[in-house]
Amino acid sequence: MLYKNLAVNEAGHLTVSGFDTTDLAAQFGTPLMLLDETVIRNRCREYIRAMEAHLPAGSRPLYASKALSLKRLYEVMKEEGMGIDVVSVGEMFTALKAGYPLENAFFHGNSKTDGDIAFAMDHGIGHFVCDSLDELTAVNAEATRRGIRQKVLLRLTPGIDPHTHEKISTGRIDCKFGAAIETGQAEALILQALALPAIDLQGYHCHIGSQIFDHSPFCDAAILMLEFMADIKARHGFCPPVLNLGGGMGVPYTGADGSIDYTANIASIGKLISEVCARLELEPPVILMEPGRSIVADAGTTLYHVTTIKQIPGFKNYAAVNGGMTDNPRFALYQAAYTVLPASRMLDERDFVCTIAGACCESGDLIQEDVALPRPNRGDLIAVLTTGAYNYSMASNYNRIPRPPVVMLTETGPHLAVRRETLEDLLHNDL
Ligand code: LLP
């Protein structure tokens, strides 16, 4: 099995952290999104411990809530002592409603409105991660109006290409985020920030991409950023205390991905940082990281029922399920790989190769191709693994399909964290 929390019981049913998936499907209906809370908590603890052990004092992880944003998760983040990265008023509002203190939040985004900026300040946001001069100027104006100095990191692009899918690689010079070091725009932005009286420039930020397994792209980014910090210090006498290396550590979606050791990666990055700082005679900065996917992805499992089996002789077979791109758009968007299991028939021979199709009126609405299953029957239960990140958070109501519920699996049982959308919910905004 891909993950330790999965097993098969005597009935041949897939279990997730000891819970029979057919029981969960009967109790909560399908499509159903399961989240193993223990996996999430353990991953938070692993990041916190590894960063404390291997990085300069004060270094800590911030959960990138774009991966999955719901109230229960912010409660878990608060309990685990995680900082958070938020990118919208909606994420901030969800965190606030969960009692998460926004002073531990970093507000990202390349297109913040005056309203977004005011909302964040109204609720005591800890840091802004500013992406441009337009934004810095607006933050400075709002902070001046309030008589405060706002803590800020600047988003810089180090020009590293981590070789992930183009749409999820964000550290390249030509991407829409941040100011590039190579073009001199990063330096200019720093000088502009230093000239703004209500901006308290605390550090630099970079994010090179997502689903990266190896530590070396992070090390490359760290070297570039530290050399840049030393250069700015030498030429302008300014060196901020914080360096945020962004998110991006990968998660195995299938057996082909191999495994990843987060602690070992962080230890390698830490070793490199202390060597480079010593060489540059730089005080080692506090390091922040923003893991999203690697906190929640492998905690998630989606259950569907099979509705239709279609064989097109000489071409391909389809098994259609009662969900699809509305709850998981990642195959449609990125041809993302997933492991699909016959949850109600785990012991049967898997001799039927098929494409798992979604229910939307769109031929690209697929969950996965070339999946080997026991020849499915209508009503069989299918499990898609590793759906905790960028599934529910990217879900939509296309075709007016309600979003599934989210159930947290905990030691005390399964708990409904987000209920299933109702048909009335779909009409909520229609006047
Ligand atoms: N920090 C920043 C500034 C980011 O832009 C991102 C992700 C993260 C942290 C978290 O990265 P992670 O640890 O989750 O890789 N929708 C795509 C992923 C887009 C990621 C965008 N930024 C997907 O489904 O693969």
Side-chain angles (χ1 to χ4, degrees), residues 155-162 170-175 177-183 186 205-209 217-218 220-226 228 243-245:
R155 179 151 184 179
L156 309 180
T157 31
I160 305 264
D161 184 351
T170 46
R172 293 183 356 198
I173 291 169
D174 60 352
C175 85
F177 296 105
I181 292 177
E182 203 169 310
T183 58
H205 171 282
C206 69
H207 171 80
I208 54 175
F218 295 103
D220 292 349
I223 296 174
L224 236 138
M225 295 298 287
L226 291 168
F228 176 70
L243 174 60
N244 184 330
L245 292 176

PDB file of all heavy atoms in Angstrom, residues 155-162 170-175 177-183 186 205-209 217-218 220-226 228 243-245:
ATOM      1  N   ARG A 155       8.382  39.440  -2.083  1.00  0.00           N
ATOM      2  CA  ARG A 155       8.460  38.223  -2.902  1.00  0.00           C
ATOM      3  C   ARG A 155       9.414  38.447  -4.066  1.00  0.00           C
ATOM      4  O   ARG A 155       9.194  39.316  -4.917  1.00  0.00           O
ATOM      5  CB  ARG A 155       7.083  37.831  -3.406  1.00  0.00           C
ATOM      6  CG  ARG A 155       7.175  36.594  -4.267  1.00  0.00           C
ATOM      7  CD  ARG A 155       5.959  35.749  -4.249  1.00  0.00           C
ATOM      8  NE  ARG A 155       6.197  34.556  -5.034  1.00  0.00           N
ATOM      9  CZ  ARG A 155       5.317  33.603  -5.195  1.00  0.00           C
ATOM     10  NH1 ARG A 155       4.145  33.695  -4.623  1.00  0.00           N
ATOM     11  NH2 ARG A 155       5.602  32.545  -5.923  1.00  0.00           N
ATOM     12  N   LEU A 156      10.454  37.652  -4.091  1.00  0.00           N
ATOM     13  CA  LEU A 156      11.476  37.779  -5.130  1.00  0.00           C
ATOM     14  C   LEU A 156      11.525  36.497  -5.955  1.00  0.00           C
ATOM     15  O   LEU A 156      11.184  35.414  -5.466  1.00  0.00           O
ATOM     16  CB  LEU A 156      12.851  38.038  -4.491  1.00  0.00           C
ATOM     17  CG  LEU A 156      12.891  39.182  -3.459  1.00  0.00           C
ATOM     18  CD1 LEU A 156      14.298  39.352  -2.905  1.00  0.00           C
ATOM     19  CD2 LEU A 156      12.407  40.505  -4.076  1.00  0.00           C
ATOM     20  N   THR A 157      11.932  36.613  -7.217  1.00  0.00           N
ATOM     21  CA  THR A 157      12.042  35.409  -8.051  1.00  0.00           C
ATOM     22  C   THR A 157      13.507  35.130  -8.341  1.00  0.00           C
ATOM     23  O   THR A 157      14.185  35.930  -8.992  1.00  0.00           O
ATOM     24  CB  THR A 157      11.259  35.567  -9.374  1.00  0.00           C
ATOM     25  OG1 THR A 157      11.256  36.927  -9.758  1.00  0.00           O
ATOM     26  CG2 THR A 157       9.843  35.125  -9.240  1.00  0.00           C
ATOM     27  N   PRO A 158      13.973  33.998  -7.815  1.00  0.00           N
ATOM     28  CA  PRO A 158      15.397  33.681  -7.976  1.00  0.00           C
ATOM     29  C   PRO A 158      15.739  33.079  -9.334  1.00  0.00           C
ATOM     30  O   PRO A 158      16.913  32.856  -9.627  1.00  0.00           O
ATOM     31  CB  PRO A 158      15.648  32.673  -6.849  1.00  0.00           C
ATOM     32  CG  PRO A 158      14.326  32.036  -6.592  1.00  0.00           C
ATOM     33  CD  PRO A 158      13.271  33.039  -6.957  1.00  0.00           C
ATOM     34  N   GLY A 159      14.737  32.797 -10.169  1.00  0.00           N
ATOM     35  CA  GLY A 159      15.034  32.268 -11.503  1.00  0.00           C
ATOM     36  C   GLY A 159      15.417  30.805 -11.507  1.00  0.00           C
ATOM     37  O   GLY A 159      16.206  30.368 -12.339  1.00  0.00           O
ATOM     38  N   ILE A 160      14.850  30.039 -10.567  1.00  0.00           N
ATOM     39  CA  ILE A 160      15.133  28.596 -10.508  1.00  0.00           C
ATOM     40  C   ILE A 160      13.986  27.861 -11.182  1.00  0.00           C
ATOM     41  O   ILE A 160      12.821  28.129 -10.882  1.00  0.00           O
ATOM     42  CB  ILE A 160      15.204  28.127  -9.034  1.00  0.00           C
ATOM     43  CG1 ILE A 160      16.227  28.948  -8.267  1.00  0.00           C
ATOM     44  CG2 ILE A 160      15.414  26.631  -8.933  1.00  0.00           C
ATOM     45  CD1 ILE A 160      17.567  28.362  -8.140  1.00  0.00           C
ATOM     46  N   ASP A 161      14.316  26.924 -12.053  1.00  0.00           N
ATOM     47  CA  ASP A 161      13.284  26.100 -12.675  1.00  0.00           C
ATOM     48  C   ASP A 161      13.371  24.697 -12.069  1.00  0.00           C
ATOM     49  O   ASP A 161      14.306  23.948 -12.336  1.00  0.00           O
ATOM     50  CB  ASP A 161      13.523  26.028 -14.181  1.00  0.00           C
ATOM     51  CG  ASP A 161      12.418  25.260 -14.878  1.00  0.00           C
ATOM     52  OD1 ASP A 161      11.581  24.656 -14.173  1.00  0.00           O
ATOM     53  OD2 ASP A 161      12.396  25.266 -16.117  1.00  0.00           O
ATOM     54  N   PRO A 162      12.421  24.330 -11.215  1.00  0.00           N
ATOM     55  CA  PRO A 162      12.553  23.051 -10.513  1.00  0.00           C
ATOM     56  C   PRO A 162      12.077  21.847 -11.312  1.00  0.00           C
ATOM     57  O   PRO A 162      11.929  20.759 -10.779  1.00  0.00           O
ATOM     58  CB  PRO A 162      11.700  23.265  -9.270  1.00  0.00           C
ATOM     59  CG  PRO A 162      10.635  24.199  -9.723  1.00  0.00           C
ATOM     60  CD  PRO A 162      11.225  25.054 -10.808  1.00  0.00           C
ATOM     61  N   THR A 170       6.727  28.298 -10.169  1.00  0.00           N
ATOM     62  CA  THR A 170       6.437  29.718  -9.957  1.00  0.00           C
ATOM     63  C   THR A 170       7.663  30.575  -9.672  1.00  0.00           C
ATOM     64  O   THR A 170       7.531  31.749  -9.377  1.00  0.00           O
ATOM     65  CB  THR A 170       5.448  29.877  -8.785  1.00  0.00           C
ATOM     66  OG1 THR A 170       5.901  29.040  -7.724  1.00  0.00           O
ATOM     67  CG2 THR A 170       4.050  29.491  -9.155  1.00  0.00           C
ATOM     68  N   GLY A 171       8.860  30.002  -9.743  1.00  0.00           N
ATOM     69  CA  GLY A 171      10.046  30.777  -9.379  1.00  0.00           C
ATOM     70  C   GLY A 171      10.822  31.319 -10.573  1.00  0.00           C
ATOM     71  O   GLY A 171      11.893  31.881 -10.421  1.00  0.00           O
ATOM     72  N   ARG A 172      10.274  31.111 -11.779  1.00  0.00           N
ATOM     73  CA  ARG A 172      11.005  31.554 -12.966  1.00  0.00           C
ATOM     74  C   ARG A 172      10.853  33.054 -13.174  1.00  0.00           C
ATOM     75  O   ARG A 172       9.855  33.654 -12.792  1.00  0.00           O
ATOM     76  CB  ARG A 172      10.510  30.788 -14.192  1.00  0.00           C
ATOM     77  CG  ARG A 172      10.881  29.325 -14.103  1.00  0.00           C
ATOM     78  CD  ARG A 172      10.480  28.554 -15.338  1.00  0.00           C
ATOM     79  NE  ARG A 172       9.760  29.347 -16.307  1.00  0.00           N
ATOM     80  CZ  ARG A 172       9.033  28.805 -17.274  1.00  0.00           C
ATOM     81  NH1 ARG A 172       8.932  27.510 -17.378  1.00  0.00           N
ATOM     82  NH2 ARG A 172       8.396  29.578 -18.134  1.00  0.00           N
ATOM     83  N   ILE A 173      11.861  33.621 -13.838  1.00  0.00           N
ATOM     84  CA  ILE A 173      11.907  35.075 -14.003  1.00  0.00           C
ATOM     85  C   ILE A 173      10.652  35.613 -14.685  1.00  0.00           C
ATOM     86  O   ILE A 173      10.151  36.684 -14.348  1.00  0.00           O
ATOM     87  CB  ILE A 173      13.147  35.453 -14.838  1.00  0.00           C
ATOM     88  CG1 ILE A 173      14.403  35.178 -14.021  1.00  0.00           C
ATOM     89  CG2 ILE A 173      13.107  36.920 -15.262  1.00  0.00           C
ATOM     90  CD1 ILE A 173      15.674  35.267 -14.818  1.00  0.00           C
ATOM     91  N   ASP A 174      10.136  34.844 -15.672  1.00  0.00           N
ATOM     92  CA  ASP A 174       9.023  35.367 -16.468  1.00  0.00           C
ATOM     93  C   ASP A 174       7.659  35.046 -15.859  1.00  0.00           C
ATOM     94  O   ASP A 174       6.645  35.220 -16.511  1.00  0.00           O
ATOM     95  CB  ASP A 174       9.115  34.843 -17.901  1.00  0.00           C
ATOM     96  CG  ASP A 174       9.065  33.324 -17.977  1.00  0.00           C
ATOM     97  OD1 ASP A 174       9.111  32.687 -16.898  1.00  0.00           O
ATOM     98  OD2 ASP A 174       8.985  32.789 -19.088  1.00  0.00           O
ATOM     99  N   CYS A 175       7.621  34.548 -14.628  1.00  0.00           N
ATOM    100  CA  CYS A 175       6.316  34.235 -14.062  1.00  0.00           C
ATOM    101  C   CYS A 175       5.675  35.500 -13.483  1.00  0.00           C
ATOM    102  O   CYS A 175       6.326  36.539 -13.355  1.00  0.00           O
ATOM    103  CB  CYS A 175       6.414  33.118 -13.025  1.00  0.00           C
ATOM    104  SG  CYS A 175       6.836  33.672 -11.394  1.00  0.00           S
ATOM    105  N   PHE A 177       4.722  36.246 -10.591  1.00  0.00           N
ATOM    106  CA  PHE A 177       4.942  36.566  -9.186  1.00  0.00           C
ATOM    107  C   PHE A 177       6.252  37.309  -8.949  1.00  0.00           C
ATOM    108  O   PHE A 177       7.262  37.025  -9.585  1.00  0.00           O
ATOM    109  CB  PHE A 177       4.967  35.278  -8.354  1.00  0.00           C
ATOM    110  CG  PHE A 177       3.672  34.543  -8.365  1.00  0.00           C
ATOM    111  CD1 PHE A 177       3.528  33.386  -9.111  1.00  0.00           C
ATOM    112  CD2 PHE A 177       2.586  35.018  -7.651  1.00  0.00           C
ATOM    113  CE1 PHE A 177       2.325  32.704  -9.134  1.00  0.00           C
ATOM    114  CE2 PHE A 177       1.379  34.343  -7.672  1.00  0.00           C
ATOM    115  CZ  PHE A 177       1.250  33.182  -8.418  1.00  0.00           C
ATOM    116  N   GLY A 178       6.224  38.203  -7.990  1.00  0.00           N
ATOM    117  CA  GLY A 178       7.435  38.770  -7.420  1.00  0.00           C
ATOM    118  C   GLY A 178       8.274  39.635  -8.342  1.00  0.00           C
ATOM    119  O   GLY A 178       7.886  40.011  -9.443  1.00  0.00           O
ATOM    120  N   ALA A 179       9.466  39.967  -7.844  1.00  0.00           N
ATOM    121  CA  ALA A 179      10.415  40.801  -8.589  1.00  0.00           C
ATOM    122  C   ALA A 179      11.686  39.983  -8.796  1.00  0.00           C
ATOM    123  O   ALA A 179      12.204  39.372  -7.847  1.00  0.00           O
ATOM    124  CB  ALA A 179      10.725  42.067  -7.787  1.00  0.00           C
ATOM    125  N   ALA A 180      12.165  39.969 -10.039  1.00  0.00           N
ATOM    126  CA  ALA A 180      13.303  39.105 -10.376  1.00  0.00           C
ATOM    127  C   ALA A 180      14.621  39.704  -9.886  1.00  0.00           C
ATOM    128  O   ALA A 180      14.859  40.910  -9.996  1.00  0.00           O
ATOM    129  CB  ALA A 180      13.349  38.883 -11.877  1.00  0.00           C
ATOM    130  N   ILE A 181      15.464  38.827  -9.360  1.00  0.00           N
ATOM    131  CA  ILE A 181      16.794  39.241  -8.919  1.00  0.00           C
ATOM    132  C   ILE A 181      17.648  39.604 -10.133  1.00  0.00           C
ATOM    133  O   ILE A 181      18.320  40.642 -10.158  1.00  0.00           O
ATOM    134  CB  ILE A 181      17.440  38.107  -8.087  1.00  0.00           C
ATOM    135  CG1 ILE A 181      16.670  37.949  -6.756  1.00  0.00           C
ATOM    136  CG2 ILE A 181      18.928  38.369  -7.849  1.00  0.00           C
ATOM    137  CD1 ILE A 181      17.147  36.838  -5.868  1.00  0.00           C
ATOM    138  N   GLU A 182      17.563  38.719 -11.145  1.00  0.00           N
ATOM    139  CA  GLU A 182      18.435  38.845 -12.300  1.00  0.00           C
ATOM    140  C   GLU A 182      18.262  40.164 -13.064  1.00  0.00           C
ATOM    141  O   GLU A 182      19.225  40.708 -13.609  1.00  0.00           O
ATOM    142  CB  GLU A 182      18.132  37.680 -13.238  1.00  0.00           C
ATOM    143  CG  GLU A 182      19.252  37.333 -14.181  1.00  0.00           C
ATOM    144  CD  GLU A 182      18.969  36.009 -14.888  1.00  0.00           C
ATOM    145  OE1 GLU A 182      18.645  35.018 -14.202  1.00  0.00           O
ATOM    146  OE2 GLU A 182      19.051  35.985 -16.126  1.00  0.00           O
ATOM    147  N   THR A 183      17.047  40.679 -13.080  1.00  0.00           N
ATOM    148  CA  THR A 183      16.793  41.899 -13.857  1.00  0.00           C
ATOM    149  C   THR A 183      17.074  43.184 -13.069  1.00  0.00           C
ATOM    150  O   THR A 183      16.889  44.288 -13.587  1.00  0.00           O
ATOM    151  CB  THR A 183      15.315  41.955 -14.285  1.00  0.00           C
ATOM    152  OG1 THR A 183      14.518  41.907 -13.087  1.00  0.00           O
ATOM    153  CG2 THR A 183      14.932  40.796 -15.189  1.00  0.00           C
ATOM    154  N   ALA A 186      14.436  43.245  -8.211  1.00  0.00           N
ATOM    155  CA  ALA A 186      14.356  42.890  -6.781  1.00  0.00           C
ATOM    156  C   ALA A 186      15.069  43.954  -5.953  1.00  0.00           C
ATOM    157  O   ALA A 186      14.535  44.452  -4.953  1.00  0.00           O
ATOM    158  CB  ALA A 186      14.973  41.516  -6.562  1.00  0.00           C
ATOM    159  N   HIS A 205      11.275  36.672   0.345  1.00  0.00           N
ATOM    160  CA  HIS A 205      10.550  35.415   0.133  1.00  0.00           C
ATOM    161  C   HIS A 205      10.796  34.924  -1.273  1.00  0.00           C
ATOM    162  O   HIS A 205      10.885  35.721  -2.218  1.00  0.00           O
ATOM    163  CB  HIS A 205       9.045  35.677   0.310  1.00  0.00           C
ATOM    164  CG  HIS A 205       8.194  34.510  -0.103  1.00  0.00           C
ATOM    165  ND1 HIS A 205       7.910  34.219  -1.411  1.00  0.00           N
ATOM    166  CD2 HIS A 205       7.603  33.543   0.625  1.00  0.00           C
ATOM    167  CE1 HIS A 205       7.162  33.128  -1.469  1.00  0.00           C
ATOM    168  NE2 HIS A 205       6.966  32.700  -0.245  1.00  0.00           N
ATOM    169  N   CYS A 206      10.888  33.618  -1.437  1.00  0.00           N
ATOM    170  CA  CYS A 206      10.858  33.042  -2.787  1.00  0.00           C
ATOM    171  C   CYS A 206      10.104  31.724  -2.727  1.00  0.00           C
ATOM    172  O   CYS A 206      10.015  31.093  -1.673  1.00  0.00           O
ATOM    173  CB  CYS A 206      12.270  32.833  -3.336  1.00  0.00           C
ATOM    174  SG  CYS A 206      13.204  31.538  -2.493  1.00  0.00           S
ATOM    175  N   HIS A 207       9.518  31.351  -3.824  1.00  0.00           N
ATOM    176  CA  HIS A 207       8.832  30.054  -3.922  1.00  0.00           C
ATOM    177  C   HIS A 207       9.132  29.532  -5.309  1.00  0.00           C
ATOM    178  O   HIS A 207       8.776  30.172  -6.294  1.00  0.00           O
ATOM    179  CB  HIS A 207       7.327  30.247  -3.712  1.00  0.00           C
ATOM    180  CG  HIS A 207       6.528  29.017  -4.013  1.00  0.00           C
ATOM    181  ND1 HIS A 207       6.407  27.964  -3.132  1.00  0.00           N
ATOM    182  CD2 HIS A 207       5.833  28.658  -5.116  1.00  0.00           C
ATOM    183  CE1 HIS A 207       5.659  27.026  -3.667  1.00  0.00           C
ATOM    184  NE2 HIS A 207       5.290  27.419  -4.881  1.00  0.00           N
ATOM    185  N   ILE A 208       9.788  28.372  -5.390  1.00  0.00           N
ATOM    186  CA  ILE A 208      10.285  27.967  -6.712  1.00  0.00           C
ATOM    187  C   ILE A 208       9.334  27.062  -7.468  1.00  0.00           C
ATOM    188  O   ILE A 208       9.451  26.917  -8.682  1.00  0.00           O
ATOM    189  CB  ILE A 208      11.685  27.311  -6.604  1.00  0.00           C
ATOM    190  CG1 ILE A 208      11.674  26.157  -5.598  1.00  0.00           C
ATOM    191  CG2 ILE A 208      12.719  28.370  -6.247  1.00  0.00           C
ATOM    192  CD1 ILE A 208      12.989  25.399  -5.542  1.00  0.00           C
ATOM    193  N   GLY A 209       8.389  26.445  -6.782  1.00  0.00           N
ATOM    194  CA  GLY A 209       7.472  25.558  -7.490  1.00  0.00           C
ATOM    195  C   GLY A 209       6.903  24.529  -6.541  1.00  0.00           C
ATOM    196  O   GLY A 209       7.066  24.642  -5.321  1.00  0.00           O
ATOM    197  N   PRO A 217      16.920  21.682  -5.623  1.00  0.00           N
ATOM    198  CA  PRO A 217      16.390  22.980  -6.076  1.00  0.00           C
ATOM    199  C   PRO A 217      16.213  23.971  -4.916  1.00  0.00           C
ATOM    200  O   PRO A 217      16.417  25.179  -5.091  1.00  0.00           O
ATOM    201  CB  PRO A 217      15.034  22.626  -6.694  1.00  0.00           C
ATOM    202  CG  PRO A 217      15.117  21.184  -7.031  1.00  0.00           C
ATOM    203  CD  PRO A 217      16.031  20.574  -6.005  1.00  0.00           C
ATOM    204  N   PHE A 218      15.855  23.459  -3.731  1.00  0.00           N
ATOM    205  CA  PHE A 218      15.711  24.357  -2.566  1.00  0.00           C
ATOM    206  C   PHE A 218      17.079  24.897  -2.156  1.00  0.00           C
ATOM    207  O   PHE A 218      17.215  26.068  -1.785  1.00  0.00           O
ATOM    208  CB  PHE A 218      15.070  23.618  -1.387  1.00  0.00           C
ATOM    209  CG  PHE A 218      13.661  23.186  -1.664  1.00  0.00           C
ATOM    210  CD1 PHE A 218      13.371  21.860  -1.961  1.00  0.00           C
ATOM    211  CD2 PHE A 218      12.622  24.103  -1.659  1.00  0.00           C
ATOM    212  CE1 PHE A 218      12.077  21.466  -2.243  1.00  0.00           C
ATOM    213  CE2 PHE A 218      11.328  23.723  -1.936  1.00  0.00           C
ATOM    214  CZ  PHE A 218      11.046  22.393  -2.232  1.00  0.00           C
ATOM    215  N   ASP A 220      19.632  25.282  -4.170  1.00  0.00           N
ATOM    216  CA  ASP A 220      20.020  26.277  -5.188  1.00  0.00           C
ATOM    217  C   ASP A 220      19.359  27.622  -4.898  1.00  0.00           C
ATOM    218  O   ASP A 220      19.996  28.676  -4.986  1.00  0.00           O
ATOM    219  CB  ASP A 220      19.595  25.808  -6.591  1.00  0.00           C
ATOM    220  CG  ASP A 220      20.379  24.596  -7.054  1.00  0.00           C
ATOM    221  OD1 ASP A 220      21.382  24.256  -6.395  1.00  0.00           O
ATOM    222  OD2 ASP A 220      19.971  23.967  -8.048  1.00  0.00           O
ATOM    223  N   ALA A 221      18.073  27.566  -4.554  1.00  0.00           N
ATOM    224  CA  ALA A 221      17.342  28.808  -4.255  1.00  0.00           C
ATOM    225  C   ALA A 221      17.939  29.479  -3.024  1.00  0.00           C
ATOM    226  O   ALA A 221      18.134  30.700  -3.002  1.00  0.00           O
ATOM    227  CB  ALA A 221      15.852  28.516  -4.044  1.00  0.00           C
ATOM    228  N   ALA A 222      18.262  28.676  -2.000  1.00  0.00           N
ATOM    229  CA  ALA A 222      18.808  29.250  -0.761  1.00  0.00           C
ATOM    230  C   ALA A 222      20.149  29.929  -1.034  1.00  0.00           C
ATOM    231  O   ALA A 222      20.399  31.044  -0.552  1.00  0.00           O
ATOM    232  CB  ALA A 222      18.950  28.160   0.304  1.00  0.00           C
ATOM    233  N   ILE A 223      20.990  29.280  -1.838  1.00  0.00           N
ATOM    234  CA  ILE A 223      22.302  29.884  -2.153  1.00  0.00           C
ATOM    235  C   ILE A 223      22.098  31.241  -2.845  1.00  0.00           C
ATOM    236  O   ILE A 223      22.670  32.257  -2.460  1.00  0.00           O
ATOM    237  CB  ILE A 223      23.145  28.962  -3.076  1.00  0.00           C
ATOM    238  CG1 ILE A 223      23.482  27.664  -2.363  1.00  0.00           C
ATOM    239  CG2 ILE A 223      24.427  29.671  -3.540  1.00  0.00           C
ATOM    240  CD1 ILE A 223      24.183  26.628  -3.239  1.00  0.00           C
ATOM    241  N   LEU A 224      21.227  31.207  -3.857  1.00  0.00           N
ATOM    242  CA  LEU A 224      20.982  32.443  -4.607  1.00  0.00           C
ATOM    243  C   LEU A 224      20.455  33.560  -3.716  1.00  0.00           C
ATOM    244  O   LEU A 224      20.893  34.714  -3.794  1.00  0.00           O
ATOM    245  CB  LEU A 224      19.946  32.127  -5.684  1.00  0.00           C
ATOM    246  CG  LEU A 224      20.373  32.452  -7.079  1.00  0.00           C
ATOM    247  CD1 LEU A 224      19.967  31.354  -8.032  1.00  0.00           C
ATOM    248  CD2 LEU A 224      19.751  33.776  -7.480  1.00  0.00           C
ATOM    249  N   MET A 225      19.512  33.199  -2.849  1.00  0.00           N
ATOM    250  CA  MET A 225      18.898  34.211  -1.988  1.00  0.00           C
ATOM    251  C   MET A 225      19.917  34.735  -0.965  1.00  0.00           C
ATOM    252  O   MET A 225      19.958  35.934  -0.693  1.00  0.00           O
ATOM    253  CB  MET A 225      17.672  33.637  -1.265  1.00  0.00           C
ATOM    254  CG  MET A 225      16.517  33.253  -2.176  1.00  0.00           C
ATOM    255  SD  MET A 225      15.788  34.620  -3.122  1.00  0.00           S
ATOM    256  CE  MET A 225      14.901  35.500  -1.847  1.00  0.00           C
ATOM    257  N   LEU A 226      20.722  33.834  -0.406  1.00  0.00           N
ATOM    258  CA  LEU A 226      21.695  34.272   0.601  1.00  0.00           C
ATOM    259  C   LEU A 226      22.780  35.143  -0.043  1.00  0.00           C
ATOM    260  O   LEU A 226      23.201  36.152   0.531  1.00  0.00           O
ATOM    261  CB  LEU A 226      22.311  33.056   1.311  1.00  0.00           C
ATOM    262  CG  LEU A 226      21.337  32.290   2.219  1.00  0.00           C
ATOM    263  CD1 LEU A 226      21.935  30.945   2.633  1.00  0.00           C
ATOM    264  CD2 LEU A 226      20.957  33.104   3.462  1.00  0.00           C
ATOM    265  N   PHE A 228      22.374  36.949  -2.616  1.00  0.00           N
ATOM    266  CA  PHE A 228      21.703  38.217  -2.896  1.00  0.00           C
ATOM    267  C   PHE A 228      21.606  39.064  -1.616  1.00  0.00           C
ATOM    268  O   PHE A 228      21.864  40.271  -1.628  1.00  0.00           O
ATOM    269  CB  PHE A 228      20.308  37.933  -3.478  1.00  0.00           C
ATOM    270  CG  PHE A 228      19.490  39.156  -3.729  1.00  0.00           C
ATOM    271  CD1 PHE A 228      19.816  40.036  -4.754  1.00  0.00           C
ATOM    272  CD2 PHE A 228      18.373  39.435  -2.943  1.00  0.00           C
ATOM    273  CE1 PHE A 228      19.056  41.172  -4.986  1.00  0.00           C
ATOM    274  CE2 PHE A 228      17.608  40.572  -3.173  1.00  0.00           C
ATOM    275  CZ  PHE A 228      17.951  41.448  -4.196  1.00  0.00           C
ATOM    276  N   LEU A 243      14.315  34.895   5.981  1.00  0.00           N
ATOM    277  CA  LEU A 243      14.300  34.388   4.596  1.00  0.00           C
ATOM    278  C   LEU A 243      13.246  33.282   4.516  1.00  0.00           C
ATOM    279  O   LEU A 243      13.333  32.276   5.245  1.00  0.00           O
ATOM    280  CB  LEU A 243      15.674  33.831   4.203  1.00  0.00           C
ATOM    281  CG  LEU A 243      15.733  33.142   2.834  1.00  0.00           C
ATOM    282  CD1 LEU A 243      15.342  34.100   1.705  1.00  0.00           C
ATOM    283  CD2 LEU A 243      17.137  32.579   2.578  1.00  0.00           C
ATOM    284  N   ASN A 244      12.266  33.501   3.660  1.00  0.00           N
ATOM    285  CA  ASN A 244      11.187  32.518   3.499  1.00  0.00           C
ATOM    286  C   ASN A 244      11.434  31.772   2.190  1.00  0.00           C
ATOM    287  O   ASN A 244      11.493  32.381   1.124  1.00  0.00           O
ATOM    288  CB  ASN A 244       9.841  33.276   3.468  1.00  0.00           C
ATOM    289  CG  ASN A 244       8.640  32.356   3.399  1.00  0.00           C
ATOM    290  OD1 ASN A 244       8.713  31.270   2.846  1.00  0.00           O
ATOM    291  ND2 ASN A 244       7.526  32.808   3.953  1.00  0.00           N
ATOM    292  N   LEU A 245      11.591  30.453   2.290  1.00  0.00           N
ATOM    293  CA  LEU A 245      11.915  29.657   1.095  1.00  0.00           C
ATOM    294  C   LEU A 245      10.683  29.067   0.411  1.00  0.00           C
ATOM    295  O   LEU A 245      10.810  28.250  -0.504  1.00  0.00           O
ATOM    296  CB  LEU A 245      12.902  28.547   1.463  1.00  0.00           C
ATOM    297  CG  LEU A 245      14.312  29.019   1.858  1.00  0.00           C
ATOM    298  CD1 LEU A 245      15.170  27.831   2.289  1.00  0.00           C
ATOM    299  CD2 LEU A 245      14.994  29.771   0.712  1.00  0.00           C
TER     300      LEU A 245
END
